[in-house]
Amino acid sequence: MKGLYLVDAMALAYRSFFALMSARLRGPQGEPVSAVYGFAQALLRVAETREPSHFAVARDLKGPTFRHEMYEAYKAQRQPMPDDLVTQLPMLDALVAACGLPLLSKERHEADDVMATYAVMGKAAALPVYLMTRDKDLMQLVGDGVCLYDPGRGSERPEEIGPEWVMGKLGVRPDQVRDYLTLVGDASDNIPGVAKIGPKTAVDLLTEFDNLDNIYANIDSIARKAVRGYLMDGRENADLSRRLVSLVTDLDVPPLEALEYRGLNLDGIEEFLLSHGIKALLPAVYKLRGNGATAPVMVGLGVGKAFDLFGGSELDVPAPPAPRPKVVAPNLQPVVDESDLEAVCVQVKSCKRLAIAPLRGKDGLTGLGLAVAPGIVRYVPLSGGLALDRIMTDLWPCLEEKSPVVLWGAKLESRRLRHDGIRFSHPCEDAELAAYLLAPGERNNTLETLSERLGIALVDEASLVGTGKTKRDVGQLTQDEALRLCGTRADALLRVWNHLSERLETESLTGIYRDLELPLSRVLGEMEEAGIALDTGLFKQLSQELGQDMARLDARAQELAGHEFNISSPKQLGTILFEELSLPHGKKTSTGAWSTDAEVLEVLAASHELPRVVLEHRELAKLKGTYTDVLPTLCDEYERVHTTFDQTVAATGRLSSIDPNLQNIPVRGEIGRRIRHGFVARPGHLLLSADYSQIELRLLAHLSGDQALLEVYRNGLDIHAQTASRVHGVPPEEVSADQRRFAKVINFGVVYGMGAHALSGQLGISHAQAKTFIEGYFAAYPRVKPWMDEMLDEARKTGFVQTVLGRKRWVRGLNDKNRAFRESSERMAVNTPVQGSAADLVKLAMLAVDAWIFESGVSVRQLLQVHDELVMEVREDQAQECAVQVKRLMEGAMTLSVPLLVEVGIARDWGAAH
């Protein structure tokens, strides 16, 4: 166990953050500390259980690397780092310093390259090397004295990951991992790979030819003609991908001696942990110091003051509470004969509530776990002893009539079960929706995580089916394995639901769950199944025109530059703009390269044509690659595209559209409008677009009670002209176009908590002018600022803000000492009641329209919800009547102190109707 231990800082930080997210760990000032907690726990565990001779932490630097310069799209699709993790990065650096460990990094390179370089140095010095990460890229180094090392959390055992593990995970040897990643690409890093070469084909090729060079050297001997074609067409991407995934192992770094380990600075660690309220880890420090305290390092539910999903609205404790007792394992019984089936039907009919956990393999439904009471589960296999038709004849009707039935992700799961022949006659309870309402914005609200919090043991699927090349299909499990996997999940689902339903009641969220979110999930499911028709011919034409426009812009850019260059290369563009053309406002990244991001180019566009051309080219490339090229390929046989509406993503309550995202099509601009023209009604029908007007500003007037704002909307005045008039002290009829435009930005910016810095950047004015405008706004509407201050004061006391309907969002950091984090939290708190209330209003409108459709029998289908707009498909001869009714229903969906206004359009395509 002696050797060189290298910690991948960001990998450990991310893992700790998400593993402990649901625990809401907070420090004394309310600062998030989950990543810090997990990070410190891992370092202490290595010090306590291993014998490092060398010990260091490697971390990425801000700014692009040489890989970004090589390929602009490198890591471009990664989601932004969560705000709560961003705020912990300085604390992690301080933690490493407090430990007395070296913190390693290298400009223009990644932590992986630093670790790879030291791994080679460690091998040369005959030191065992332990890389603390599970990163696929670093699997290239495994073997010959190098392994990946996971110290584990809580009661987990540490794990050394060697060549056999890599082979089982990916199906290739560690020395083949680089070429494997080259072929299949890596979505997380946006590495293209070779198109249409998947993991199985890559493994087969490397098994036969050993490496990428041999594959291309023997390409003519590859049996499958299609694979030969993919490889030949993708040669350029293969070369690029190989360079991107190759680790640098010869960086100029301090000598290995600089990493020698002489023990942790225990005084420094103790002071750090106490300053952040992380007292639960102190026993490990005392044990290392040898002064008698030997308590194990534990993962608790909270530090400082935090919201606890399962036990009271807040925790205010000096150390994590004791772990919850483990729940007794359930009684799992399979259905093996007809008498068992009869007994199950009786249990289903008589039980208080029923939780269903379906088990699905690649060929569909293979079994059902039915939890009829906590600890009592029956498993129904759909193959084997009992005939399927007998199960469907006897059991299916019992399930269809049962209420309540509990599912996880009821919108999707009930649709799947309907396709399997089970059509519920009552709405199903949705544990996922309940967990979301209690902790909106938490990414770790999974059944597995919530079960762990309650002490409920789930059977790990990977332990039964395996991973990597040897992974079995779930349908191949033995009956006993399927019973344990499916049965424990059903039992956990019922127990978790019982706790969630209690918490909904305690937090006064039962109403918004039962009257809004749950019925809406059915409406959204119907919208997803309906889809919306595309004019695929128009999309093809748009793609061709966009390609031509991009080529024209590219040519114009070359002309303006005076020579040929790659318009997609930030490095080449920066050289031209700031060195050859000597344009002002240039700024450099941390690597020393000129920045050519959108913010820089927008400033430069006022003084030179080239930045304008590049911005336009980038916008067209985005639209072409996201919409016009892609959407037609996603259509079904009826040329309809089906999005998925997710209710459990946005913390404000807004719906999210995914796979594909139809909410991000630009509202303004000719191209966005033309793309909307490609969404059409089916024959004999029209599209109806109903859009709320200035919904968030109207809600601001209602919530703040500002008399001036109320009067503007009650009298049907132009809010932007009125704001400009009040701020500039001129009559409304004398307001200039620029003054009205500035006022519009201020009006909407206030809703989002925009400060003077952001406003000055958006309007292109000085910070002082922006500050004056904001002060003028608050003077014009004197109740707005006091309302914001009162709401923030209340949020600091309670930890949450609310919408008009009572939806809660827990806001962290309102009392944080870090100014940037605190101000970000304040903007979030100001925005959520307005934006969240707008989301609730749109959802109420969707339910009102759905109820009217059901009662009236009109031929109308809701298809899309995009921001504050509903898109429907109506029969041509009923369109005008429907427009009147939809407008009435939407404007009456919520009673406010100002009138709501809905603009309705009808046409054969979305662009014309909007």
Side-chain angles (χ1 to χ4, degrees):
M1 293 190 296
K2 288 186 177 181
L4 167 61
Y5 288 77
L6 295 168
V7 180
D8 184 340
M10 293 313 301
L12 181 55
Y14 264 100
R15 183 183 179 195
S16 301
F17 177 76
F18 287 112
L20 299 173
M21 176 183 283
S22 60
R24 297 177 179 271
L25 306 185
R26 319 297 291 176
Q29 305 302 319
E31 73 274 19
V33 294
S34 56
V36 176
Y37 188 105
F39 205 104
Q41 183 187 48
L43 297 181
L44 287 167
R45 176 161 288 195
V46 171
E48 182 181 351
T49 63
R50 313 291 283 191
E51 298 178 28
S53 59
H54 299 72
F55 196 0
V57 178
R59 185 186 161 186
D60 295 328
L61 293 173
K62 290 183 179 179
T65 68
F66 75 92
R67 293 182 177 89
H68 293 90
E69 297 168 5
M70 185 187 305
Y71 181 50
E72 183 182 3
Y74 182 63
K75 295 188 177 182
Q77 292 181 340
R78 282 200 172 180
Q79 294 295 316
M81 185 182 294
D83 291 341
D84 273 7
L85 180 53
V86 172
T87 62
Q88 294 181 69
L89 296 184
M91 288 186 272
L92 293 175
D93 289 350
L95 168 63
V96 176
C99 290
L101 295 174
L103 184 59
L104 310 171
S105 58
K106 188 72 173 177
E107 285 199 352
R108 297 184 63 252
H109 291 81
E110 298 175 59
D112 289 358
D113 300 315
V114 175
M115 295 172 73
T117 296
Y118 276 111
V120 171
M121 293 166 63
K123 283 168 57 178
L127 279 173
V129 178
Y130 299 91
L131 306 176
M132 289 177 59
T133 183
R134 286 179 176 264
D135 194 323
K136 289 195 300 291
D137 294 330
L138 287 167
M139 291 179 187
Q140 301 174 48
L141 302 172
V142 169
D144 193 21
V146 179
C147 71
L148 306 189
Y149 177 67
D150 184 347
R153 294 188 302 111
S155 60
E156 296 173 355
R157 295 176 61 84
E159 185 177 8
E160 294 183 11
I161 295 172
E164 296 79 10
W165 191 95
V166 174
M167 189 73 182
K169 178 74 173 176
L170 301 181
V172 296
R173 303 187 309 269
D175 62 288
Q176 294 175 310
V177 168
R178 181 186 67 164
D179 289 348
Y180 171 84
L181 295 174
T182 296
L183 289 167
V184 303
D186 187 342
S188 64
D189 287 345
N190 206 29
I191 292 172
V194 177
K196 301 184 180 180
I197 297 291
K200 184 179 184 304
T201 302
V203 170
D204 290 343
L205 289 169
L206 290 169
T207 300
E208 182 175 359
F209 298 105
D210 193 63
N211 59 58
L212 188 69
D213 293 333
N214 286 345
I215 291 172
Y216 275 103
N218 296 278
I219 196 167
D220 293 335
S221 65
I222 295 174
R224 293 172 58 191
K225 181 179 178 181
V227 173
R228 292 201 305 272
Y230 301 153
L231 289 167
M232 288 187 288
D233 292 343
R235 183 60 191 262
E236 186 175 343
N237 271 351
D239 291 340
L240 171 64
S241 299
R242 195 181 200 183
R243 294 197 302 273
L244 290 171
V245 302
S246 294
L247 296 172
V248 180
T249 59
D250 58 355
L251 293 177
D252 181 15
V253 294
L256 196 60
E257 290 74 22
L259 278 55
E260 286 185 2
Y261 177 66
R262 297 179 177 84
L264 297 179
N265 177 3
L266 299 179
D267 290 340
I269 298 173
E270 181 177 5
E271 182 179 349
F272 177 89
L273 294 176
L274 286 171
S275 69
H276 292 286
I278 308 177
K279 299 180 182 179
L281 297 182
L282 292 177
V285 178
Y286 301 149
K287 184 176 181 180
L288 285 169
R289 184 178 283 138
N291 63 359
T294 58
V297 177
M298 295 168 55
V299 177
L301 291 176
V303 175
K305 181 171 285 188
F307 176 66
D308 177 8
L309 188 59
F310 291 111
S313 61
E314 287 188 337
L315 298 172
D316 197 357
V317 293
R324 296 178 184 271
K326 290 291 183 183
V327 173
V328 176
N331 179 2
L332 307 175
Q333 298 179 3
V335 174
V336 296
D337 54 32
E338 291 184 4
S339 63
D340 278 341
L341 185 61
E342 292 174 4
V344 169
C345 291
V346 171
Q347 286 177 303
V348 167
K349 290 177 180 178
S350 61
C351 70
K352 183 178 180 181
R353 61 175 58 91
L354 174 71
I356 302 180
L359 188 65
R360 300 182 186 279
K362 65 180 182 181
D363 295 325
L365 188 66
T366 64
L368 289 176
L370 306 176
V372 295
I376 303 176
V377 180
R378 304 303 304 270
Y379 175 68
V380 185
L382 299 184
S383 61
L386 272 174
L388 180 58
D389 58 353
R390 180 64 189 270
I391 294 174
M392 295 177 69
T393 300
D394 293 0
L395 181 59
W396 263 215
C398 296
L399 299 180
E400 291 175 340
E401 294 299 321
K402 183 63 186 176
S403 180
V405 168
V406 181
L407 298 173
W408 182 270
K411 175 162 65 73
L412 174 61
E413 200 56 75
S414 60
R415 183 191 305 171
R416 287 173 170 171
L417 289 170
R418 186 166 68 249
H419 292 162
D420 296 320
I422 303 174
R423 294 179 174 271
F424 297 107
S425 58
H426 304 280
C428 295
E429 304 286 10
D430 191 336
E432 184 182 27
L433 266 183
Y436 160 76
L437 284 171
L438 287 164
E442 296 288 350
R443 297 186 182 184
N444 213 23
N445 269 346
T446 64
L447 180 60
E448 291 74 14
T449 301
L450 300 181
S451 299
E452 182 181 357
R453 294 279 309 280
L454 288 171
I456 302 168
L458 284 175
V459 172
D460 179 38
E461 182 176 323
S463 68
L464 296 178
V465 300
T467 58
K469 191 176 181 179
T470 61
K471 183 178 180 180
R472 292 187 294 164
D473 178 57
V474 170
Q476 297 175 323
L477 294 176
T478 66
Q479 180 170 297
D480 179 66
E481 290 172 333
L483 170 68
R484 290 189 289 117
L485 176 62
C486 190
T488 56
R489 187 172 178 86
D491 183 57
L493 177 58
L494 183 58
R495 294 179 190 270
V496 165
W497 167 254
N498 289 340
H499 282 272
L500 291 173
S501 60
E502 291 176 8
R503 296 292 302 129
L504 286 173
E505 193 68 33
T506 302
E507 294 297 329
S508 302
L509 291 170
T510 300
I512 202 165
Y513 164 78
R514 197 159 298 287
D515 300 331
L516 185 67
E517 294 293 355
L518 192 61
L520 182 71
S521 68
R522 177 190 56 79
V523 176
L524 294 175
E526 293 173 356
M527 293 166 62
E528 292 169 359
E529 290 199 78
I532 186 168
L534 293 188
D535 182 342
T536 54
L538 177 59
F539 270 83
K540 183 177 180 181
Q541 178 185 338
L542 277 175
S543 277
Q544 292 173 345
E545 292 177 5
L546 286 174
Q548 293 168 358
D549 290 343
M550 289 170 63
R552 175 182 54 79
L553 291 167
D554 196 350
R556 178 56 180 161
Q558 315 297 324
E559 181 182 344
L560 291 167
H563 58 79
E564 288 189 5
F565 76 104
N566 181 358
I567 195 173
S568 299
S569 169
K571 184 177 181 180
Q572 293 182 35
L573 179 62
T575 299
I576 292 168
L577 293 176
F578 303 115
E579 296 179 14
E580 297 178 14
L581 297 178
S582 300
L583 294 183
H585 305 297
K587 64 178 182 179
K588 289 191 174 183
T589 66
S590 60
T591 64
W594 291 108
S595 171
T596 59
D597 60 21
E599 182 181 356
V600 171
L601 294 184
E602 284 166 3
V603 172
L604 296 174
S607 58
H608 199 282
E609 184 182 355
L610 179 56
R612 293 198 298 273
V613 170
V614 174
L615 282 170
E616 189 176 353
H617 185 276
R618 287 181 182 178
E619 179 65 18
L620 297 186
K622 178 181 177 182
L623 294 174
K624 187 174 187 292
T626 305
Y627 297 110
T628 62
D629 286 353
V630 174
L631 289 183
T633 68
L634 303 177
C635 286
D636 62 16
E637 63 269 31
Y638 304 106
E639 294 197 331
R640 297 182 79 88
V641 65
H642 303 262
T643 187
T644 297
F645 294 102
D646 198 326
Q647 293 168 268
T648 64
V649 173
T652 59
R654 288 275 192 185
L655 295 174
S656 297
S657 167
I658 56 174
D659 300 327
N661 183 349
L662 299 182
Q663 293 182 332
N664 278 357
I665 301 171
V667 175
R668 298 176 182 82
E670 178 62 24
I671 299 300
R673 285 192 291 271
R674 292 177 68 189
I675 290 174
R676 278 179 164 75
H677 284 304
F679 293 83
V680 297
R682 58 181 166 152
H685 292 72
L686 297 171
L687 292 185
L688 185 155
S689 167
D691 196 1
Y692 279 108
S693 172
Q694 297 177 350
I695 183 173
E696 291 175 344
L697 295 181
R698 292 172 190 270
L699 280 162
L700 177 63
H702 171 81
L703 291 166
S704 68
D706 185 88
Q707 196 60 37
L709 272 178
L710 294 172
E711 289 302 316
V712 167
Y713 283 113
R714 287 170 179 171
N715 296 326
L717 302 177
D718 180 343
I719 180 64
H720 305 314
Q722 291 296 316
T723 298
S725 170
R726 292 169 180 270
V727 170
H728 294 283
V730 299
E733 60 273 13
E734 295 181 15
V735 168
S736 68
D738 276 347
Q739 287 174 333
R740 186 183 183 280
R741 178 173 63 85
F742 281 23
K744 183 175 182 179
V745 173
I746 295 172
N747 279 329
F748 287 106
V750 166
V751 174
Y752 288 88
M754 182 185 290
H757 176 74
L759 183 63
S760 66
Q762 190 157 341
L763 293 178
I765 59 179
S766 70
H767 186 276
Q769 287 176 302
K771 185 177 180 183
T772 300
F773 280 148
I774 291 175
E775 290 171 349
Y777 175 91
F778 287 133
Y781 302 114
R783 269 298 304 159
V784 172
K785 187 65 165 63
W787 167 73
M788 290 179 173
D789 292 339
E790 291 161 11
M791 184 181 57
L792 286 173
D793 288 342
E794 184 65 20
R796 289 187 179 98
K797 297 174 186 175
T798 64
F800 63 84
V801 290
Q802 287 182 288
T803 66
V804 170
L805 294 188
R807 180 190 302 276
K808 291 182 179 179
R809 181 180 186 181
W810 298 87
V811 184
R812 304 165 178 169
L814 291 173
N815 297 308
D816 199 273
K817 291 181 178 180
N818 183 302
R819 179 180 175 182
F821 178 44
R822 184 179 66 254
E823 291 179 348
S824 173
S825 299
E826 289 172 349
R827 287 192 295 271
M828 186 187 302
V830 167
N831 168 242
T832 294
V834 177
Q835 193 178 86
S837 296
D840 289 347
L841 170 57
V842 173
K843 289 177 178 180
L844 285 174
M846 295 173 74
L847 291 178
V849 170
D850 178 74
W852 166 70
I853 292 172
F854 178 78
E855 293 165 3
S856 66
V858 294
S859 182
V860 180
R861 291 195 297 184
Q862 297 189 71
L863 304 183
L864 297 178
Q865 187 275 320
V866 180
H867 307 306
D868 304 326
E869 176 187 11
L870 300 183
V871 180
M872 307 169 205
E873 194 171 56
V874 301
R875 208 170 73 190
E876 201 165 346
D877 61 339
Q878 297 178 343
Q880 293 302 325
E881 173 196 351
C882 289
V884 172
Q885 292 298 329
V886 168
K887 180 178 174 67
R888 177 184 65 82
L889 291 165
M890 291 179 66
E891 290 180 346
M894 185 183 283
T895 301
L896 302 178
S897 50
V898 295
L900 292 169
L901 177 64
V902 173
E903 298 170 349
V904 180
I906 306 170
R908 296 203 176 275
D909 66 74
W910 185 15
H914 181 68

